[in-house]
Amino acid sequence: MQQNRNIQIIEWEDLDKRKFYSFGVFMTMTIRATVYPATLIRTRLQVQKGKSLYNGTFDAFFKILRAEGVQGLYRGFMVNTFTLISGQAYITTYELVRKYVSNYSKDNTVKSLVAGGAASLVAQTITVPIDVISQQLMMQGQGKHLTRFRVKLKTEADGKTKMAFGQTRNMIAQIFAADGFRGFYRGYVASLLTYIPNSAVWWPFYHFYAEQLSKMAPSDCPHLLLQAMAGPLAAATASTVTNPMDVVRARVQVEGRTSVIETFRHLLAEEGFWGMTKGLSARIISSIPTAIVMVVGYETLKRVSLRPELVDSRHW
């Protein structure tokens, strides 16, 4: 523990691992369910050509709600729940790598940057196949003309489309038939180029913002409140830096492109610089509640998982 920091960081060796993993699964599931609609909207905004379907985040939200209902905002959610595995792999890798790097450097920025990047590498290896499937499902309904694959959707009396049973299995079969096993890792390189920098940037900025806020806040201000404010600031910073690659990643995975560089050039030539900002507002909007929920959940998780003999020695 770095004693010269205003906000102390709970390290891996301070935790009761049984509590940490038990509560961690519930926390991850809650976060994913909360932010999934924003993720779906962001994906559709990034894949559409210009403003052919939606004019922005809120326009997309209301159009999807009118045409597809609430369930339209959760297309592909069930398959996406398998990312619980990658979520646990992410936090485990992050904490273990922090501990390992601390043997060579006590600098928190270095530990956070290296651990964040390593955690994202492990998580994305698990997540990409799930993302490929769930993103194709996200594009069904109003966005189905923008993707290569189709699943059967039922149309109700009020005109809204309804998800049919077995569509995930059907989508998996279509992807495998068209691209083989490699199809499930389409956009893997683009994902790494997006999420490794995003994670590597987020953690150092999170600790930086939290520490700076602690210097400006009253001494009796709860640390969890400061951390909840630091999370969105770090998320907005990381999202802005990595959004161009996130747009490319979405195009590669949904449109079936094979070259990251060619997709980048095509996007730049077709839509210019502003094409690189597509979905950024949706990403930042989704990242704010995500960051708050994640930070409050994660820091609370670590506190309730703190080894009993250390509880009284920490000031929150």
Side-chain angles (χ1 to χ4, degrees):
M1 190 72 66
Q2 298 182 38
Q3 298 299 332
N4 60 334
R5 296 180 61 85
N6 290 341
I7 298 182
Q8 296 179 324
I9 300 172
I10 300 174
E11 302 289 3
W12 181 249
E13 59 271 19
D14 301 329
L15 300 172
D16 178 328
K17 310 305 187 293
R18 182 176 57 80
K19 289 182 180 179
F20 185 70
Y21 284 114
S22 298
F23 294 130
V25 171
F26 174 76
M27 181 200 76
T28 304
M29 186 65 179
T30 301
I31 292 172
R32 294 197 183 283
T34 302
V35 305
Y36 191 81
T39 302
L40 181 142
I41 291 170
R42 186 191 77 204
T43 299
R44 290 195 182 184
L45 287 174
Q46 290 177 334
V47 173
Q48 71 172 351
K49 305 297 183 184
K51 294 184 178 180
S52 59
L53 193 56
Y54 307 115
N55 291 320
T57 301
F58 293 105
D59 181 56
F61 175 79
F62 290 114
K63 281 183 176 178
I64 293 170
L65 205 58
R66 283 196 299 267
E68 305 173 44
V70 175
Q71 63 184 7
L73 295 169
Y74 280 90
R75 291 190 187 279
F77 178 70
M78 291 309 296
V79 67
N80 194 262
T81 59
F82 285 99
T83 54
L84 284 172
I85 300 169
S86 66
Q88 295 303 301
Y90 180 94
I91 59 177
T92 300
T93 303
Y94 177 77
E95 295 295 346
L96 288 175
V97 172
R98 269 188 69 91
K99 181 180 178 182
Y100 177 78
V101 174
S102 66
N103 294 325
Y104 302 92
S105 173
K106 299 302 180 183
D107 188 288
N108 185 62
T109 300
V110 173
K111 290 192 290 184
S112 299
L113 190 149
V114 175
S120 189
L121 172 62
V122 172
Q124 285 306 304
T125 302
I126 301 170
T127 300
V128 167
I130 301 170
D131 270 352
V132 168
I133 299 166
S134 65
Q135 284 182 336
Q136 293 292 346
L137 293 171
M138 285 178 189
M139 296 306 297
Q140 303 305 308
Q142 288 185 320
K144 64 183 180 182
H145 64 285
L146 298 172
T147 180
R148 297 185 298 155
F149 306 111
R150 305 283 190 278
V151 294
K152 292 182 179 179
L153 298 172
K154 296 179 181 179
T155 302
E156 298 180 322
D158 59 4
K160 293 181 179 179
T161 57
K162 183 179 180 181
M163 292 179 283
F165 178 77
Q167 62 173 343
T168 299
R169 183 174 58 186
N170 179 259
M171 182 60 72
I172 292 172
Q174 288 188 54
I175 294 171
F176 186 77
D179 301 325
F181 180 76
R182 291 181 62 183
F184 296 103
Y185 273 92
R186 186 175 295 279
Y188 179 61
V189 173
S191 290
L192 295 183
L193 292 176
T194 300
Y195 291 115
I196 289 179
N198 187 82
S199 183
V201 168
W202 191 92
W203 285 103
F205 271 103
Y206 164 61
H207 290 302
F208 170 77
Y209 287 134
E211 192 66 14
Q212 295 307 308
L213 287 170
S214 72
K215 294 176 181 178
M216 295 185 286
S219 58
D220 59 347
C221 183
H223 288 176
L224 191 60
L225 176 61
L226 300 176
Q227 291 167 323
M229 294 169 62
L233 292 173
T237 302
S239 295
T240 302
V241 171
T242 62
N243 197 70
M245 276 311 305
D246 195 41
V247 176
V248 172
R249 175 195 61 79
R251 290 286 178 97
V252 168
Q253 291 181 332
V254 174
E255 295 179 355
R257 297 176 179 273
T258 56
S259 171
V260 172
I261 296 175
E262 187 59 35
T263 302
F264 183 84
R265 288 175 177 170
H266 184 268
L267 178 64
L268 204 58
E270 189 178 69
E271 303 190 44
F273 169 78
W274 292 109
M276 298 299 168
T277 67
K278 297 185 76 171
L280 178 59
S281 62
R283 198 173 176 204
I284 291 177
I285 289 170
S286 69
S287 74
I288 291 173
T290 303
I292 293 173
V293 173
M294 190 191 82
V295 167
V296 172
Y298 189 61
E299 294 295 347
T300 301
L301 170 66
K302 291 177 79 173
R303 291 176 191 185
V304 299
S305 302
L306 197 63
R307 298 203 328 262
E309 65 271 21
L310 298 177
V311 173
D312 294 332
S313 66
R314 300 292 186 263
H315 168 64
W316 311 122

